[in-house]
């Protein structure tokens, strides 16, 4: 215990010196001596003494009792009065201040010593009691406020106390469990043997484990249960040191387990479809392979890619694309067995693992069932339109195509590309010779990437002709590749390859810049202004970088916007959210829009009226059999009539003979293109066609 500090309040110098001497002999520290009540109050505030020896008769306006009263309100401090007064009035006033003692002068040294020592012991006892009460209050607060369930057991392992949290979690009320053992919470773990084990191990009276705890309704919840034995050496009945109480702490791990499950699901499942992701699929494939090796059985891997998903996603928007993926995931799962796995690898690529298959017919049957399910149309809730899709499936077999996950997936991927090359919406089993085809395709993609740098790409231009007089009113820019081995390749051979690879962005920018540069070159030659039609995919059109590049080209090559016509497909019109904002931008720039391959998609009359569309191009499949196919004749006449009604310019694609030309011109078709007039030609040949002749004859004469 530290040395107690004493403040002496005594106006008699002799008594003060005597007190000081005696207190120092007893081992106390004298922090100060004052003679007035006012000074006693101030010193108490500043020095904070442990004890005040207070004379009642003091100098100044305040006597000792009045000073003690004010001290009690400022900083309660133990006070012993030293006074010769024994009258009832003084004693009554002194008692009201609740002093720790009252010594009547004169007093002996023994009396002073005994009084002060008893005071200090009382102070120590009071302090310990206050600390104990505070600890008990804190313990009670923790006992009730904690998020854990707490049970207190006696030496017989019977429950004596529970907190409110135990009732909240388990449903048991205090009266239902008091006096019984807690084994009912988990009889397999919380047994008598466990408590005997804790009793016997006096060096470690604590046990903790993760177990399932049973609630009152019979349901289970995961918990961490800790049991600690509380030893009380002072208790006579436990002189041997065994615990005389047990504290059982039950921490509910339900939210922790749910969070762990959620994190596991996020790490191993696709967030959109809920299917296993690539990581989980690879784990299951490895497991399936090990099982097949042990059973000496076969298994199959499907690599599935949706046909034309990119077009649907780009034209109708990502919401519709996501909706399609969800529909596909659901339909796939209905086609396989419960033991099989359907996983999404990413984008529109899926993996199916067929475990323990009987024969090839089973695999073919599942593939056919899946293709049929995926080819069924569905109606989008976002656009309220019916959407058709399909898939191509590549199949690899264990052990024929490989004995590890990478080999099987690579083989199935190769077979999938082979299925696509056969017309899509079909399946193909992997064969070794497909590896050569895949290598050739990869090499072809690399060659296309290099073709830009090696200047093997060029644009050819097919004339667009006014049907009433044969004048060339525009050209359509068409991509060509002068391949060093395969010769001149058309856009139909190049674009699908570019879209499957990673060079479509660079290729589309090159086409745009080259077409604009050529248009500017013709203007420099003094040729008449010509409309340049450029085919644009939905992905390009909705790419902000493409529109920015287009604006830059108009400025760089000083091209009037009205001379540029962007040809888009009908499917592009279905993405209303992105479409309207984009078309407003096109209209503001003064560019023209044409609907290419009109009649092959779905376009409402209202859509055509509202959007800044200037031309509709009748697809060549409706021109090919004119005038001999009544159905094609009716379709062509209907499109021309609709265009005239909407004040749009109608353009016929693919005219190849005089009969087609006569029919379309006679029914009011405005413009045309096709081999009947001219094939797509290099720029220098188009330049020669555009130069005016001295005899003022049209470059492309009327042939009727």
């Amino acid at each position: 215990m530290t040395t107690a500090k004493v403040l002496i309040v005594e106006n008699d110098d002799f008594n003060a010196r005597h007190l000081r001497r005696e207190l120092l002999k007893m081992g106390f520290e004298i922090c100060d001596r004052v003679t007035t009540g006012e000074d006693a109050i101030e010193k108490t505030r500043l020095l904070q003494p442990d004890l005040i020896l207070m004379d009642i008769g003091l100098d100044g306006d305040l006597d000792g009792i009045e000073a003690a009263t004010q001290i009690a309100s400022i900083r309660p401090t133990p006070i012993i009065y030293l006074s010769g007064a024994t009258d009832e009035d003084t004693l009554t006033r002194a008692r009201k201040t609740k002093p720790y003692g009252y010594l009547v002068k004169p007093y002996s040294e023994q009396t002073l010593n005994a009084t002060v020592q008893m005071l200090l012991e009382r102070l120590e006892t009071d302090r310990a009691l206050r600390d104990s009460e505070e600890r008990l209050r804190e313990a009670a607060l923790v006992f009730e406020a904690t998020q854990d369930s707490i049970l207190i057991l006696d030496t017989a392992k019977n429950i004596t106390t529970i907190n409110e949290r135990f009732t909240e979690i388990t449903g048991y009320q205090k009266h239902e469990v008091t006096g019984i053992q807690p084994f009912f919470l988990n009889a397999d773990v919380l047994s008598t043997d466990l408590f005997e084990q804790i009793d016997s191990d006096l060096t470690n009276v604590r046990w903790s484990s993760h177990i399932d705890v049973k609630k009152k309704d019979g349901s289970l919840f995961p918990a961490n249960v800790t049991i600690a034995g509380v030893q009380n050496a002072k208790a006579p009945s436990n002189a041997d040191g065994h615990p005389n109480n047990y504290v059982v702490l039950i921490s509910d791990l339900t939210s922790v387990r749910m969070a762990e499950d959620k994190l596991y699901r996020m790490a191993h499942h696709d967030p959109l479809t809920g299917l296993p992701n690539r990581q989980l699929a690879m784990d299951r494939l490895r497991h399936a392979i090990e099982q097949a090796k042990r059973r000496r059985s076969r298994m199959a891997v499907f690599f599935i890619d949706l046909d034309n998903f990119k077009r649907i996603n780009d034209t109708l928007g990502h919401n519709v694309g996501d909706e399609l993926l969800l529909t596909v995931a659901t339909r796939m799962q209905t086609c396989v067995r419960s033991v099989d796995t359907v996983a999404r690898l990413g984008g529109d690529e899926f993996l199916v693992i067929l475990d323990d298959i009987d024969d090839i017919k089973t695999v073919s049957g599942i593939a056919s069932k899946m293709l049929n399910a995926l080819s069924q149309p569905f109606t989008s809730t976002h656009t309220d339109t019916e959407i058709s899709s399909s898939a191509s499936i590549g199949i690899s077999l264990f052990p024929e195509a490989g004995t590890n996950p990478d080999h099987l997936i690579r083989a199935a991927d190769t077979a999938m590309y082979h299925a696509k090359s056969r017309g899509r919406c079909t399946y193909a089993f992997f064969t070794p010779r497909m590896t050569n085809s895949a290598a050739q395709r990869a090499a072809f993609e690399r060659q296309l990437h290099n073709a830009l740098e090696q200047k093997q790409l060029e644009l050819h231009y097919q004339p667009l002709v006014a049907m009433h007089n044969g004048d060339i009113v525009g050209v359509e820019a068409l991509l060509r590749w002068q391949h060093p081995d395969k010769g001149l390749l058309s856009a139909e051979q190049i674009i699908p390859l570019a879209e499957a690879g990673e060079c479509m962005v660079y290729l589309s920018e090159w086409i745009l810049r080259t077409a604009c540069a050529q248009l500017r070159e013709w203007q420099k030659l003094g040729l008449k202004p010509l409309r340049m039609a450029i085919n644009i995919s939905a992905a390009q059109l909705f790419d902000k970088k493409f529109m920015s590049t287009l604006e830059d080209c108009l400025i760089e090559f000083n091209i009037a916007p009205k001379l540029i016509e962007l040809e888009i497909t009908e499917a592009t019109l279905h993405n209303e959210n992105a479409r309207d904002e984009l078309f407003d931008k096109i209209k503001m720039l003064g560019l023209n829009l044409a609907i290419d391959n009109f009649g092959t998609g779905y376009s409402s009359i209202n859509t055509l009226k509202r959007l800044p569309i200037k031309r509709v191009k009748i697809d060549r499949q409706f021109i090919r059999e004119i005038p001999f196919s009544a159905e094609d004749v009716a379709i062509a006449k209907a499109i021309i009539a609709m265009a005239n009604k909407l004040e749009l310019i109608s353009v016929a694609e693919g005219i190849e003979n005089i009969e087609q030309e006569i029919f379309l011109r006679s029914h009011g078709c405005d413009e045309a293109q096709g081999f009947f007039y001219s094939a797509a030609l290099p720029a220098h040949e188009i330049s020669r066609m555009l130069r005016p002749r001295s005899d003022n004859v049209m470059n492309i004469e009327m042939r009727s």
Side-chain angles (χ1 to χ4, degrees):
M1 185 179 70
T2 58
T3 303
K5 296 188 298 182
V6 180
L7 173 65
I8 299 174
V9 185
E10 173 64 68
N11 62 345
D12 184 278
D13 293 338
F14 177 81
N15 289 336
R17 285 194 298 272
H18 176 70
L19 274 174
R20 181 182 183 85
R21 184 173 59 252
E22 293 302 320
L23 290 171
L24 289 174
K25 283 168 56 178
M26 286 185 247
F28 295 107
E29 174 188 345
I30 309 302
C31 61
D32 208 342
R33 176 248 172 159
V34 295
T35 61
T36 68
E38 291 82 359
D39 288 343
I41 295 169
E42 182 64 21
K43 292 295 183 180
T44 300
R45 182 186 292 111
L46 295 176
L47 303 177
Q48 299 184 5
D50 298 307
L51 171 64
I52 301 175
L53 296 180
M54 177 81 74
D55 189 9
I56 293 179
L58 299 173
D59 298 338
D61 296 332
L62 299 177
D63 66 10
I65 297 174
E66 292 170 334
T69 301
Q70 293 192 33
I71 288 172
S73 64
I74 296 171
R75 183 182 181 275
T77 305
I79 294 176
I80 297 177
Y81 287 118
L82 307 173
S83 175
T86 58
D87 59 282
E88 189 62 31
D89 180 60
T90 300
L91 294 176
T92 299
R93 288 177 59 224
R95 277 196 297 270
K96 290 180 180 180
T97 64
K98 295 182 172 56
Y100 275 66
Y102 192 104
L103 292 180
V104 179
K105 296 178 182 179
Y107 47 79
S108 67
E109 295 177 8
Q110 291 81 3
T111 301
L112 176 64
N113 191 356
T115 301
V116 172
Q117 291 297 340
M118 285 189 289
L119 166 65
L120 293 178
E121 287 186 14
R122 179 182 167 187
L123 286 176
E124 191 66 26
T125 302
D126 288 349
R127 186 179 296 109
L129 181 60
R130 284 195 303 271
D131 291 344
S132 177
E133 289 174 346
E134 182 62 26
R135 285 194 297 272
L136 286 173
R137 281 194 296 270
E138 291 174 354
L141 182 63
V142 171
F143 187 76
E144 292 300 338
T146 182
Q147 292 299 301
D148 296 327
S149 300
I150 300 176
L151 305 129
I152 307 298
L153 314 183
D154 59 19
T155 54
K157 292 86 178 179
N158 294 318
I159 299 172
T160 60
T161 307
I162 65 171
N163 65 351
E164 284 294 326
R165 186 61 176 162
F166 178 80
T167 299
E168 292 174 8
I169 293 178
T170 66
Y172 288 106
Q173 299 296 324
K174 182 176 181 179
H175 69 273
E176 295 176 304
V177 298
T178 301
I180 65 174
Q181 296 176 331
F183 306 149
F184 62 91
L185 295 174
N186 189 315
D188 294 334
V189 179
L190 300 177
S191 62
T192 302
D193 292 342
L194 172 64
F195 284 93
E196 289 178 353
Q197 176 186 340
I198 296 173
D199 281 350
S200 64
D201 188 1
L202 297 182
T203 61
N204 183 21
V205 288
R206 189 175 184 275
W207 173 89
S208 183
S209 181
H210 285 191
I211 65 173
D212 288 332
V213 174
K214 185 184 294 184
K215 297 182 181 181
K216 183 179 179 181
D217 61 10
S219 62
L220 301 175
F221 68 94
N224 182 70
V225 177
T226 299
I227 303 175
V230 180
Q231 297 178 351
N232 186 353
K234 294 182 180 180
S237 60
N238 290 285
D240 56 1
H242 284 292
N244 70 310
N245 283 103
Y246 297 90
V247 178
V248 181
L249 188 69
I250 303 174
S251 302
D252 186 359
L253 301 180
T254 301
S255 59
V256 175
R257 190 70 53 81
M258 289 175 64
E260 290 175 348
D261 291 345
K262 184 177 181 181
L263 288 173
Y264 178 86
R265 185 163 187 82
M266 289 172 62
H268 294 85
H269 289 80
D270 174 51
L272 174 63
T273 63
L275 295 176
N277 61 11
R278 182 182 292 273
Q279 180 180 344
L280 183 55
M282 293 298 289
D283 289 343
R284 291 189 179 180
L285 181 54
R286 279 189 285 268
H287 178 73
I289 291 173
E290 291 303 318
Q291 291 283 88
K293 288 179 179 178
R294 283 195 294 269
R295 292 192 299 251
R296 298 181 180 275
S297 61
R298 303 172 83 187
M299 57 161 293
V301 173
F302 287 10
F303 196 103
I304 304 170
D305 185 86
L306 301 186
D307 300 328
N308 299 316
F309 175 76
K310 189 174 187 300
R311 176 180 60 80
I312 293 172
N313 206 38
D314 291 340
T315 57
L316 302 182
H318 293 289
N319 287 337
V320 177
D322 288 349
E323 195 175 14
L324 174 59
L325 292 172
L326 282 167
T327 302
V328 165
T330 301
R331 291 180 180 179
M332 281 184 181
Q333 292 176 90
T334 64
C335 298
V336 298
R337 305 162 301 177
S338 59
V339 295
D340 300 326
T341 294
V342 178
R344 183 185 177 206
L345 300 182
D348 62 335
E349 295 180 342
F350 295 83
L351 192 77
V352 175
I353 304 170
L354 301 182
D355 195 17
D356 194 19
I357 58 174
D358 299 325
D359 52 40
I360 299 300
K361 290 182 179 179
T362 301
V363 179
S364 299
I366 293 175
S368 297
K369 182 180 179 182
M370 192 169 287
L371 287 175
N372 181 61
L374 298 183
S375 63
Q376 300 301 313
F378 83 100
T379 301
S380 169
T381 58
H382 295 283
T383 62
D384 198 29
T385 56
E386 189 176 83
I387 298 170
S388 296
S389 181
S390 62
S392 298
I393 303 177
I395 305 171
S396 62
L397 298 174
F398 172 90
E400 293 91 333
T403 56
N404 66 54
D406 290 338
H407 289 166
L408 288 172
I409 292 176
R410 192 180 306 120
D413 185 25
T414 299
M416 183 273 295
Y417 275 105
H418 185 74
K420 281 189 180 292
S421 69
R422 287 163 47 186
R424 307 191 178 200
C425 195
T426 187
Y427 66 86
F429 284 90
F430 173 79
T431 61
R433 67 173 177 270
M434 288 181 183
T435 304
N436 294 331
S437 299
Q440 290 172 3
R441 186 176 62 254
F444 199 52
E445 290 177 3
R446 289 194 298 271
Q447 290 172 359
L448 176 58
H449 187 79
N450 295 331
L452 278 170
E453 298 177 0
Q454 297 173 4
K455 298 184 179 179
Q456 296 172 357
L457 300 179
E458 57 186 82
L459 291 183
H460 285 195
Y461 304 90
Q462 186 171 37
L464 291 156
V465 178
M467 295 199 76
H468 71 282
N469 61 13
D471 277 354
I472 298 176
V473 293
V475 293
E476 180 179 356
L478 298 169
L479 181 63
R480 297 291 184 265
W481 179 6
Q482 192 64 54
H483 194 279
D485 301 321
K486 302 178 183 294
L488 192 64
L489 303 180
S490 68
E492 289 76 10
Q493 296 169 287
I494 304 170
I495 297 301
L497 191 63
E499 289 180 337
E502 299 180 353
C503 60
M504 191 62 212
V505 174
Y506 309 105
L507 189 59
S508 62
E509 183 175 339
W510 179 87
I511 292 172
L512 183 61
R513 295 185 63 82
T514 303
C516 288
Q518 185 58 59
L519 193 57
R520 179 59 179 162
E521 184 63 27
W522 284 330
Q523 290 177 353
K524 289 180 179 179
L525 294 174
L527 302 178
K528 66 177 182 179
L530 204 62
R531 187 177 80 249
M532 177 69 74
I534 304 172
N535 288 283
I536 302 298
S537 70
Q540 292 172 263
L541 194 62
F542 295 125
D543 184 357
K544 293 181 179 179
K545 184 179 179 183
F546 173 79
M547 291 303 298
S548 175
T549 302
L550 179 55
E551 288 185 71
D552 292 342
C553 286
L554 293 176
I555 296 171
E556 180 181 350
F557 297 107
N558 193 24
I559 303 295
K562 66 180 181 179
L563 296 180
I564 299 295
E565 185 165 84
L566 304 179
E567 291 191 2
I568 60 176
T569 62
E570 286 183 88
T572 307
L573 303 179
H574 297 161
N575 188 357
E576 295 186 11
N577 293 334
R579 179 200 68 193
D580 292 346
E581 180 182 351
L582 176 68
F583 286 3
D584 287 343
K585 175 76 169 177
I586 291 173
K587 185 177 181 180
M588 182 185 71
L589 290 174
L591 301 167
N592 293 316
L593 272 178
I595 304 299
D596 197 16
N597 303 328
F598 190 81
T600 59
Y602 171 80
S603 298
S604 68
I605 301 298
N606 186 52
T607 299
L608 295 177
K609 285 172 58 180
R610 288 192 299 106
L611 298 177
I613 296 165
K614 192 166 185 178
R615 286 175 178 78
V616 290
K617 301 185 73 173
I618 308 169
D619 190 72
R620 66 182 67 246
Q621 67 175 297
F622 304 123
I623 304 297
R624 190 177 299 117
E625 300 300 325
I626 286 176
F628 308 108
S629 168
E631 183 179 346
D632 289 345
V633 165
I635 292 174
K637 288 169 64 176
I639 294 175
I640 293 169
M642 179 207 68
N644 290 337
K645 195 72 174 176
L646 296 177
E647 298 182 349
L648 301 176
I649 297 171
S650 56
V651 183
E653 295 184 288
I655 294 181
E656 297 182 355
N657 56 58
I658 188 66
E659 290 84 2
Q660 294 168 346
E661 203 272 346
I662 291 173
F663 172 83
L664 291 163
R665 180 159 50 85
S666 65
H667 284 86
C669 186
D670 299 304
E671 298 177 2
Q673 68 183 106
F675 289 152
F676 177 71
Y677 303 103
S678 172
L681 300 172
H684 68 274
E685 294 189 33
I686 294 294
S687 300
R688 192 162 50 245
M689 294 175 65
L690 294 175
R691 289 193 182 96
R693 297 182 182 178
S694 58
D695 56 2
N696 201 29
V697 177
M698 294 295 178
N699 290 326
I700 296 182
E701 298 179 351
M702 300 295 293
R703 306 200 180 188
S704 56

